[in-house]
Amino acid sequence: MPEPEVYDAVVIGSGEAGKFMCWHLGSLGQRVVVVERRYLGGACPNIACLPSKNVIHTAKVASYFRRAEEFGMRVDGFRVDMAGVHANKQRMIEGLHALHRSKFEASHTTFLWGSAKFVGDRTVDVTMNDGRETRTLRGTRVFLDIGSRATLEPIPGLADAKPLTHVEALDLTILPKHLVILGGGYVGLELAQAMRRLGSKVTVLERSERILPREDADVADGIAQVFAGEGIEILTQAKVSRIEGRSGDAVRVVGTIAGEERSIAGSHLLVATGRTPNTDGLGLAKGGIALTPNGYVKVNDRLETTAENVWAMGDCAGSPKFTHISYEDFRIVRDNLDGGHRSTVGRQVPSCIFTDPEFARVGLNESEAREKKIPYRLAKAPMAAVLRTRTLNETRGFLKALIGAKDDKVLGFTGFGWSVGELLPPFQLAMKHDLPYTAIDDLVVTHPTIAEGLGVVFSGKLVPISV
Ligand SMILES: Cc1cc2nc3c(=O)[nH]c(=O)nc-3n(C[C@H](O)[C@H](O)[C@H](O)COP(=O)(O)OP(=O)(O)OC[C@H]3O[C@@H](n4cnc5c(N)ncnc54)[C@H](O)[C@@H]3O)c2cc1C
Ligand SMILES: NC(=O)c1ccc[n+]([C@@H]2O[C@H](COP(=O)([O-])OP(=O)(O)OC[C@H]3O[C@@H](n4cnc5c(N)ncnc54)[C@H](O)[C@@H]3O)[C@@H](O)[C@H]2O)c1
């Protein structure tokens, strides 16, 4: 083995946690190197959160064209130019790249484009993308933030069908005639509605009894109703036995829907059936880094791996797969390096699905309360009671909060409606600092804002629900 280049910190993967670790340690004057094989700044700005929200917003613009008459406009025909949709998204990504480059430069991080592979304790070989000589790096500390990728289940014919994943779907410059989507979860639902609004025929196949199987039935039903109104076909209880043909040309999904033999033909196939950690092919065992049975890096509640002075953060560590959670992973590790005692145990995991209307949740929902036998009092109100929604012609949905059966603690909040993701923080604050729900209800909130929902949700009686 050649003599390694020694750094204070070797960061593998420039995703959310990895880049913040570089910027933090670099700003302290430490010698930091990051190895990134493809995406400057990781998945979020390149192929996941931000590009998908950009395309989703463009699709919303398209939906406004279709709704023009409702607002008193006359639009004499319009046409979606997918190359233009793509170009708009690319411009946003280029801006994000510039931002990332400036932060890596400001923190004096050495940025290496290449793939890292462990060859020993805290030591990696880097195969450089530009074909130059392999470099060997050793870190006093090593941080893994290698992310995850779309799962390709071993369904006969699936790999040969060359399906789209979110990566290719977000890079389309032509509109699929009929997009068939495997999976009615986060990726499947967000992209289903966006592609439908841009003009594709869309069919979603979900193996469970309903889309978003972990969420409450009223949320899943609400989204299903909106989708039906927009002409999106949702087929639940889908058991796919094989795929024929090729995505981009003609593809056919064969199996049963609710027990009945079916064959669904489309022009394109998108897989959105969950994630697989990028932990293969990295020689982690050579670095003394163990994996869980599901292939995630094995970590404790401080995100320490089985190798001393090696941490894993984000998707690859099996953390809930959200950018804000990867960022929180970074904060936990950062604070513990400074002598803190932060842990992943019991942390809040807020989430938002950017369908239109969007769905947001933090803490307990009704299904979990039933499952865990936690009695609660339910506050629920329609979004139409938040008067801002009437000014926007966006009255669909509801808000609900779960309050303790015997005290005024906030157990959880779920919103399905216009901009409800913005309502999460006050509930989070109350939950984190043990404030009663009345602390939220008592706020003087600007009129007319969606934030008035914070009071509206409590405007009726709290209904006791026994479980
Ligand atoms: C379509 C889509 C939309 C999403 N939307 C949202 C959203 O709106 N909000 C939200 O919170 N979350 C969203 N997510 C989830 C979110 O994108 C991920 O949870 C988050 O990006 C994970 O970040 P990370 O820090 O784990 O690593 P990543 O951002 O995945 O970064 C890992 C990096 O490591 C690099 N890498 C891997 N192996 C190696 C190696 N051997 N050598 C060198 N480099 C390597 C990869 O190239 C990658 O750049 C979305 C996901 C998808 C797929
Ligand atoms: N807005 C956001 O924050 C956002 C957006 C996109 C993705 N994400 C993150 O990325 C993760 C991955 O997203 P995802 O949509 O790939 O996974 P997911 O777990 O959210 O949903 C996958 C869905 O596919 C279904 N499924 C699995 N195998 C199937 C099969 N063979 N046939 C039909 N249905 C099948 C599952 O029952 C599930 O409902 C999410 O869980 C989330 O953490 C977040």
Side-chain angles (χ1 to χ4, degrees):
M1 197 197 313
E3 201 49 41
E5 303 166 44
V6 178
Y7 286 85
D8 296 318
V10 172
V11 180
I12 305 175
S14 70
E16 185 74 0
K19 65 194 173 200
F20 274 95
M21 191 54 80
C22 292
W23 301 341
H24 169 66
L25 296 177
S27 73
L28 298 179
Q30 296 202 13
R31 272 169 52 79
V32 180
V33 61
V34 61
V35 186
E36 170 55 57
R37 66 181 176 194
R38 182 141 189 211
Y39 299 115
L40 176 58
C44 168
N46 290 283
I47 51 164
C49 327
L50 298 174
S52 61
K53 269 79 250 180
N54 178 290
V55 171
I56 285 168
H57 182 68
T58 299
K60 175 74 178 172
V61 174
S63 82
Y64 276 140
F65 274 98
R66 290 199 185 86
R67 291 172 59 186
E69 256 179 54
E70 187 186 322
F71 296 97
M73 313 277 154
R74 290 194 65 97
V75 175
D76 297 321
F78 83 101
R79 172 170 86 77
V80 171
D81 167 18
M82 277 303 279
V85 171
H86 179 264
N88 181 46
K89 181 211 68 166
Q90 286 306 118
R91 277 192 296 276
M92 179 201 71
I93 294 177
E94 279 157 26
L96 294 167
H97 283 170
L99 185 71
H100 281 80
R101 269 195 294 272
S102 71
K103 293 204 173 214
F104 279 113
E105 273 166 32
S107 61
H108 303 291
T109 301
T110 301
F111 198 104
L112 299 184
W113 284 108
S115 293
K117 199 167 177 172
F118 278 83
V119 290
D121 285 349
R122 287 177 283 111
T123 309
V124 292
D125 270 357
V126 181
T127 307
M128 302 293 288
N129 287 358
D130 62 9
R132 287 202 198 150
E133 232 171 69
T134 298
R135 288 170 73 162
T136 304
L137 315 173
R138 177 173 295 151
T140 308
R141 290 168 171 155
V142 173
F143 302 93
L144 299 172
D145 181 32
I146 46 182
S148 66
R149 60 181 183 271
T151 297
L152 223 58
E153 294 186 352
I155 297 171
L158 180 58
D160 291 339
K162 301 265 179 266
L164 307 170
T165 68
H166 59 101
V167 180
E168 297 79 22
L170 289 168
D171 235 8
L172 285 168
T173 50
I174 52 118
L175 197 62
K177 206 161 172 224
H178 182 180
L179 178 65
V180 179
I181 302 180
L182 273 194
Y186 278 73
V187 173
L189 295 180
E190 287 186 351
L191 289 180
Q193 192 180 35
M195 296 312 294
R196 175 66 190 150
R197 288 177 165 192
L198 292 172
S200 292
K201 183 176 176 198
V202 175
T203 303
V204 177
L205 300 178
E206 166 57 47
R207 71 174 167 199
S208 305
E209 300 229 322
R210 61 170 193 252
I211 51 170
L212 295 179
R214 286 186 296 274
E215 301 304 334
D216 288 344
D218 51 4
V219 172
D221 291 349
I223 295 183
Q225 242 178 50
V226 168
F227 276 25
E230 296 192 16
I232 298 167
E233 183 180 32
I234 296 182
L235 301 174
T236 53
Q237 299 180 65
K239 305 276 173 270
V240 178
S241 52
R242 66 175 195 279
I243 312 284
E244 294 170 0
R246 205 178 158 114
S247 176
D249 179 14
V251 71
R252 185 174 287 278
V253 180
V254 183
T256 61
I257 306 291
E260 264 185 41
E261 293 288 337
R262 287 282 298 273
S263 147
I264 293 112
S267 62
H268 291 70
L269 180 66
L270 166 67
V271 278
T273 54
R275 310 289 296 171
T276 299
N278 291 329
T279 49
D280 40 355
L282 207 78
L284 289 170
K286 287 210 170 133
I289 301 158
L291 297 180
T292 67
N294 292 334
Y296 291 94
V297 179
K298 191 172 174 185
V299 291
N300 61 16
D301 65 345
R302 294 162 62 89
L303 299 163
E304 293 160 343
T305 69
T306 50
E308 206 176 337
N309 285 318
V310 181
W311 290 260
M313 305 173 288
D315 285 9
C316 74
S319 298
K321 295 180 182 64
F322 299 106
T323 292
H324 45 279
I325 295 298
S326 182
Y327 178 66
E328 175 59 9
D329 281 1
F330 150 71
R331 295 201 297 191
I332 289 171
V333 176
R334 176 200 63 192
D335 290 358
N336 291 345
L337 291 178
D338 285 346
H341 296 285
R342 283 184 71 164
S343 143
T344 54
V345 176
R347 66 174 162 187
Q348 290 179 345
V349 182
S351 64
C352 184
I353 299 192
F354 294 89
T355 49
D356 177 24
E358 65 194 35
F359 152 71
R361 164 150 86 102
V362 64
L364 208 64
N365 65 14
E366 292 194 84
S367 320
E368 287 171 348
R370 267 194 303 277
E371 219 172 273
K372 295 178 181 164
K373 306 222 172 308
I374 302 173
Y376 57 95
R377 289 176 295 157
L378 181 68
K380 190 168 179 180
M383 275 308 277
V386 182
L387 299 185
R388 176 67 172 165
T389 65
R390 304 207 179 209
T391 68
L392 299 168
N393 290 24
E394 300 285 358
T395 51
R396 295 171 299 187
F398 56 83
L399 302 171
K400 58 181 180 175
L402 276 68
I403 307 300
K406 297 209 170 103
D407 56 30
D408 286 347
K409 278 189 185 162
V410 178
L411 305 177
F413 167 78
T414 294
F416 173 55
W418 177 266
S419 285
V420 290
E422 315 293 340
L423 297 182
L424 292 175
F427 287 98
Q428 293 181 245
L429 206 63
M431 290 165 75
K432 187 161 178 184
H433 297 286
D434 251 346
L435 299 174
Y437 79 87
T438 47
I440 300 176
D441 191 19
D442 280 350
L443 290 170
V444 177
V445 178
T446 316
H447 176 73
T449 59
I450 293 294
E452 282 181 299
L454 297 171
V456 167
V457 66
F458 297 115
S459 54
K461 277 208 173 115
L462 296 188
V463 180
I465 311 280
S466 48
V467 286

